Amino acid sequence: MQTQQIFLFFIGIVALAGLVAFFSGRSKAQRVRASGAEMYAQPDQYGWFTAISSAGPALLVGLAAVVAIATADIDIEGMQLLIASLVVAAVGLVIGLALVKPDFHARNAIETLIRYVLIGAAMISIVTTFGILVSIIFEAIRFFQMESFWTFITGTTWDPGNSFQMAAGRGEGVESTANFGAVPLFAGTFMITLIAMLVAIPIGLLAAVYMAEFAPESVRTVAKPVLEVLAGIPTVVYGFFAAITVAPLIVDIFSPLGIEASYNNALAPGLVMGIMIIPFISSLSDDVITSVPDTMRQGSLALGMTHGETIRNVILPAALPGIISASLLAMSRALGETMIVVMAAGMRPNLTANPLEDMTTVTVRIVAALTGDQEFASAETLSAFALGLVLFVVTLLLNMVSVVLIRRFREKYSANNL
Amino acid sequence: MSHSFDDISAQLKGRHRRTKRLKFMSMGALALAATFLVVFIGDMVMRGYPAFQQAELHVPVTYSEQSQEIPLAAVEEDVRDLVSRGWLRQLPRDMAADASLMGQTIDRWVIADDQVDQYLKGHKSHLKPKQTAVLDRMIENGTAELKFNINFFTTGDSKLPEYAGIWSAAMGTILTLLVTLAFAFPVGVLTAVYLEEFAPDNRFTQAIEININNLAAVPSILFGLLGLAIFINFFGMPRSSPLVGGLTLGLMTLPVIIITTRSALRSVPDTIRQAAFGVGCSRWQVVRDHVLPLSLPGILTGSIIGLAQAMGETAPLIIVGMVAFIPDAPTAITQAATVLPAQIFTWAGEPEQAYVERTAAGILVLLSVLILLNAAAVMLRKKFERRW
């Protein structure tokens, strides 16, 4: 039988078991009730209970079978699975029906079950985090068994060389020439992030000041969503824009000055990324500035400060933790941004301070390592996970600091809207 | 104090001027961001709109046994390298499908080669002078024209630009998003219900909350690494399939749905819950019959926004292999597929002008869908928003 047919049959069995159980459970409860006994729950609730006790275990059997087939390579015949689930459903039905008695709390039983289902759903997000951590750490450990951690962190040459041949067993007699020094990648990432922040912080912050302090309500209601649009544009679109419009523009601007810029220069992705993260800074800063208590504004104005001086000397210092928090959040976004740099930045690891040269980033190398035709076990492929680990740790730290800062701000001014 | 009243008045002018300066600078910053948006969209439209047109040639097509063997023989010699090779390759199949064509010569519109297309649009092309002479004559006769490019919407990816379209990528996107929604919506809503309505305020609950906030800020590419290591390598799901892509995006969308659902649940006033408890509802009955229906518009709005975000995501899908050359639309979630942003990424890597056009056109389609989705979310909120 085809997998699809088995699946359909399985769903059919579960649905049928549920229906049969619901109606038989309910009718038994109705009969008991009609005979004059006082019951703890409504007949419908007994019906639901029997439905769950019959279809639930059958569903679990199916799930267990899928997991077993996928992970442990256990061969399970479709027919066996169907019969097993049918048997389990029947047993569940019998037990469920036996429990339909006047002194049985069907509603509470359902309630408990639902609580477990909800906890299970909530656990998925925790499992996801652990999944990311475990999957990255395991592969990264395999990488660090091949290459030393110290050269990875401090080495200045990134050149996967012939590592893929070594992994394929064709490296006999050839000296491994691979070098995995990630410093040029870190430097490239840092340079592009720096450019992005230099664009985004002034523009984002000033836009936030305008919206929070100067703008009339009508401008505010239009400007806020317009800025949000910037954050909603897919990054692949920004990447295309950076590569096809901004990068040639930069080359054209600098060539009359006698400065030669690479078409994969770091400036183009940096600028475009900066524009992308403006809304991250402006929207959070706007919230922070508006939640600085009005008493501080009034106090400052009463002392004879102008509006501008109030903003500069009172409001911005008070809002500083929130603004820094917003900037850190935006920075972690810029560090992990992939598509813009994949499309517009270079592929060549290049340790330089000149933003007009091409340089590459951590995320670019991750993509490059995982889209080639290499063996999965090669050092180059695994290096992606080592880089991913660094990225994860750095962005996590930035987020943590950002959360702590914003919490301090919130406690200090008891601002509840953050 | 040495400052006289006059000194202070004189200073005051400068101080107010500085306030004005700050105001204009901040206004300028906002204007700059808005200008960028306009420039950006203008640039995309300028680059993309030519792709919605495609050159076609009106030529006599001879359906004969010879042209069934050698399709090139179906058209006259001077236009042979002007019509699309993709169309010629299709010719024998057309003839096999419709036997009545045999032996006829029909004047009909035929898709032109992409170089002809570029020439007609006034761009650079690699056509030889002899070919352009033929073309110029045809343009004058009205037998070479730009027509609406229906192929762009009905075909999949192709190595021939004139036949490259977004259909298979669009189908891939739909399948992927269905998987994403089927996973992230129930799990996200249930998690939010648990955290908001059921969970006691203890360390476990706090851990989940912190964790969700962190998850929302994890770079998307790391979800791709997770998808590769867990779904593909560990569970052995098919690479490049909407199943893997959808689940990966689902995990990414989960925090968005949880956070928006929680705020929607929170906006339902406690009096509703108390009234329901008062008439003897259990906790689940309160949630199912009262809180969830009242917060549904907010939940749907958040889910649509999360879905729009997932729709534009590319990086994790590259990692799980969804940037493949897929000419045919996928029909099941286990087949290899690609999605719209990934298709855009693939085309962006092609040097030909015809592909640059198609990239921008694909972007326009993607942006339009995203705008529609977001507009739907806003309308939904406006229509059903309730002030308590």
Side-chain angles (χ1 to χ4, degrees):
Chain A
M1 260 198 284
Q2 295 283 312
T3 324
Q4 221 154 1
Q5 280 173 309
I6 294 172
F7 180 73
L8 285 178
F9 269 111
F10 177 73
I11 294 292
I13 286 178
V14 170
L16 198 69
L19 276 175
V20 169
F22 177 78
F23 285 111
S24 50
R26 190 174 69 168
S27 68
K28 185 182 174 192
Q30 275 165 341
R31 259 182 285 121
V32 174
R33 201 181 219 193
S35 69
E38 274 200 32
M39 301 188 90
Y40 270 118
Q42 301 290 319
D44 267 10
Q45 285 158 354
Y46 286 105
W48 279 114
F49 174 75
T50 42
I52 291 169
S53 76
S54 169
L59 213 55
L60 285 182
V61 166
L63 212 63
V66 168
V67 172
I69 292 171
T71 58
D73 270 341
I74 299 166
D75 228 14
I76 299 174
E77 285 282 324
M79 232 28 222
Q80 292 172 348
L81 170 63
L82 291 183
I83 291 170
S85 57
L86 203 59
V87 170
V88 170
V91 172
L93 176 63
V94 171
I95 295 174
L97 277 179
L99 280 171
V100 178
K101 287 180 197 147
D103 58 348
F104 177 67
H105 284 268
R107 190 169 80 162
N108 291 7
I110 295 174
E111 200 82 358
T112 317
L113 195 86
I114 280 172
R115 190 178 284 262
Y116 282 121
V117 170
L118 292 178
I119 292 178
M123 289 300 289
I124 286 183
S125 68
I126 292 215
V127 170
T128 306
T129 311
F130 274 99
I132 291 180
L133 256 181
V134 167
S135 59
I136 294 175
I137 286 179
F138 262 97
E139 309 294 354
I141 286 174
R142 279 171 72 191
F143 173 74
F144 289 127
Q145 280 165 352
M146 294 183 211
E147 308 287 332
S148 99
F149 178 72
W150 188 245
T151 28
F152 174 73
I153 288 293
T154 58
T156 54
T157 335
W158 182 276
D159 176 23
N162 59 2
S163 64
F164 64 95
Q165 287 180 345
M166 309 291 289
R170 284 186 279 120
E172 288 152 48
V174 186
E175 191 89 1
S176 170
T177 55
N179 263 311
F180 291 97
V183 171
L185 312 189
F186 297 152
T189 309
F190 179 73
M191 172 64 83
I192 291 178
T193 305
L194 184 73
I195 297 168
M197 298 313 284
L198 286 179
V199 172
I201 292 183
I203 297 184
L205 188 55
L206 279 173
V209 165
Y210 180 70
M211 286 199 291
E213 292 290 327
F214 294 113
E217 193 54 39
S218 56
V219 174
R220 216 179 128 83
T221 47
V222 177
K224 247 191 136 139
V226 167
L227 277 182
E228 297 297 328
V229 170
L230 284 177
I233 293 174
T235 53
V236 65
V237 178
Y238 278 119
F240 179 68
F241 182 69
I244 208 113
T245 304
V246 181
L249 197 68
I250 287 171
V251 174
D252 289 347
I253 287 174
F254 280 97
S255 64
L257 305 174
I259 304 168
E260 205 179 311
S262 157
Y263 273 99
N264 290 327
N265 60 61
L267 196 56
L271 287 177
V272 173
M273 201 189 282
I275 289 160
M276 181 190 83
I277 56 180
I278 286 174
F280 288 89
I281 294 183
S282 72
S283 122
L284 193 52
S285 300
D286 183 12
D287 290 347
V288 171
I289 291 172
T290 36
S291 59
V292 170
D294 243 1
T295 45
M296 292 180 74
R297 248 175 232 112
Q298 286 152 2
S300 160
L301 290 172
L303 285 173
M305 297 246 251
T306 64
H307 193 177
E309 287 160 349
T310 306
I311 292 170
R312 208 168 353 197
N313 301 329
V314 177
I315 295 174
L316 286 186
L320 197 62
I323 292 167
I324 293 176
S325 163
S327 308
L328 290 180
L329 219 56
M331 194 167 153
S332 99
R333 186 49 75 120
L335 287 175
E337 174 45 49
T338 310
M339 292 320 292
I340 295 179
V341 282
V342 165
M343 294 169 85
M347 291 287 287
R348 185 169 64 101
N350 185 7
L351 193 57
T352 170
N354 179 2
L356 295 177
E357 281 187 41
D358 60 327
M359 48 182 84
T360 195
T361 71
V362 171
T363 46
V364 171
R365 290 316 307 190
I366 294 179
V367 170
L370 291 175
T371 46
D373 292 328
Q374 289 93 17
E375 283 283 307
F376 189 79
S378 80
E380 180 174 7
T381 313
L382 292 176
S383 72
F385 289 90
L387 291 171
L389 183 63
V390 174
L391 190 61
F392 184 76
V393 170
V394 172
T395 50
L396 193 69
L397 281 179
L398 284 174
N399 289 327
M400 296 279 203
V401 175
S402 159
V403 166
V404 169
L405 280 175
I406 200 88
R407 187 174 299 155
R408 273 209 201 134
F409 174 84
R410 187 166 42 192
E411 277 159 12
K412 192 165 171 192
Y413 299 109
S414 54
N416 292 321
N417 61 340
L418 294 175
Chain B
M1 283 292 162
S2 60
H3 292 303
S4 70
F5 188 74
D6 289 342
D7 282 345
I8 292 174
S9 308
Q11 273 178 6
L12 204 56
K13 234 184 200 164
R15 289 167 60 198
H16 279 302
R17 212 180 303 126
R18 273 202 290 279
T19 299
K20 272 237 169 73
R21 208 189 306 146
L22 180 66
K23 183 175 172 179
F24 283 119
M25 268 170 64
S26 62
M27 213 193 257
L30 191 62
L32 201 66
T35 313
F36 169 79
L37 195 64
V38 173
V39 168
F40 167 79
I41 291 183
D43 187 49
M44 285 303 136
V45 172
M46 293 300 283
R47 282 182 195 281
Y49 87 90
F52 294 116
Q53 289 194 313
Q54 166 68 39
E56 293 189 18
L57 306 172
H58 195 74
V59 292
V61 180
T62 318
Y63 294 97
S64 64
E65 271 169 39
Q66 194 195 359
S67 51
Q68 187 146 31
E69 298 278 314
I70 313 155
L72 266 180
V75 289
E76 281 162 32
E77 208 178 332
D78 54 344
V79 292
R80 264 179 203 168
D81 30 353
L82 298 183
V83 301
S84 162
R85 267 168 300 152
W87 182 82
L88 287 173
R89 243 178 263 157
Q90 177 72 29
L91 193 71
R93 259 174 286 165
D94 286 350
M95 292 175 70
D98 185 0
S100 67
L101 287 172
M102 184 58 86
Q104 294 196 53
T105 301
I106 305 170
D107 277 354
R108 52 172 300 178
W109 286 98
V110 169
I111 304 247
D113 188 73
D114 71 302
Q115 293 300 330
V116 175
D117 184 49
Q118 291 304 314
Y119 182 75
L120 254 65
K121 286 169 183 168
H123 299 154
K124 243 189 351 210
S125 69
H126 302 305
L127 293 177
K128 298 190 189 83
K130 215 174 99 194
Q131 294 170 318
T132 54
V134 174
L135 255 183
D136 286 337
R137 212 175 49 236
M138 291 183 79
I139 294 170
E140 225 160 90
N141 295 340
T143 51
E145 254 179 40
L146 286 174
K147 301 204 157 195
F148 180 68
N149 185 3
I150 190 91
N151 272 343
F152 183 70
F153 296 99
T154 56
T155 63
D157 197 4
S158 167
K159 292 290 173 209
L160 299 167
E162 65 269 24
Y163 269 98
I166 55 170
W167 176 247
S168 63
M171 289 313 283
T173 291
I174 290 173
L175 287 177
T176 307
L177 287 186
L178 279 180
V179 175
T180 302
L181 198 64
F183 170 74
F185 183 72
V187 173
V189 171
L190 290 179
T191 305
V193 165
Y194 176 70
L195 291 177
E196 227 24 71
E197 307 285 335
F198 283 80
D201 188 19
N202 58 18
R203 291 208 158 220
F204 174 68
T205 312
Q206 281 166 14
I208 296 181
E209 276 178 33
I210 292 173
N211 180 54
I212 287 167
N213 286 334
N214 271 332
L215 215 51
V218 168
S220 63
I221 190 169
L222 296 181
F223 284 94
L225 293 183
L226 165 91
L228 179 64
I230 305 274
F231 295 139
I232 295 179
N233 286 348
F234 187 68
F235 282 114
M237 293 182 192
R239 209 175 134 81
S240 307
S241 64
L243 180 65
V244 172
L247 286 177
T248 308
L249 289 184
L251 290 178
M252 227 186 70
T253 319
L254 206 52
V256 182
I257 294 186
I258 294 174
I259 290 169
T260 47
T261 302
R262 285 190 72 181
S263 69
L265 291 174
R266 225 171 303 162
S267 72
V268 175
D270 260 347
T271 45
I272 302 264
R273 293 185 187 87
Q274 284 152 4
F277 280 129
V279 294
C281 286
S282 70
R283 205 166 262 281
W284 171 243
Q285 285 173 323
V286 173
V287 171
R288 188 193 59 191
D289 296 339
H290 302 283
V291 181
L292 273 184
L294 287 173
S295 54
L296 197 61
I299 294 173
L300 289 182
T301 307
S303 307
I304 292 175
I305 288 171
L307 211 59
Q309 235 175 59
M311 193 178 169
E313 199 53 65
T314 324
L317 297 182
I318 293 184
I319 304 292
V320 297
M322 285 190 84
V323 271
F325 176 70
I326 312 283
D328 295 316
T331 51
I333 56 170
T334 47
Q335 288 174 355
T338 189
V339 292
L340 264 182
Q343 184 71 72
I344 289 168
F345 174 64
T346 319
W347 282 343
E350 305 275 350
E352 289 101 328
Q353 170 66 23
Y355 278 114
V356 174
E357 265 174 23
R358 274 163 180 75
T359 312
I363 286 174
L364 289 179
V365 172
L366 181 65
L367 287 181
S368 321
V369 176
L370 289 182
I371 288 171
L372 278 181
L373 275 180
N374 281 302
V378 170
M379 298 256 283
L380 201 66
R381 182 159 47 197
K382 276 250 168 68
K383 185 143 198 253
F384 293 102
E385 193 177 46
R386 215 192 273 206
R387 295 242 166 256
W388 299 95

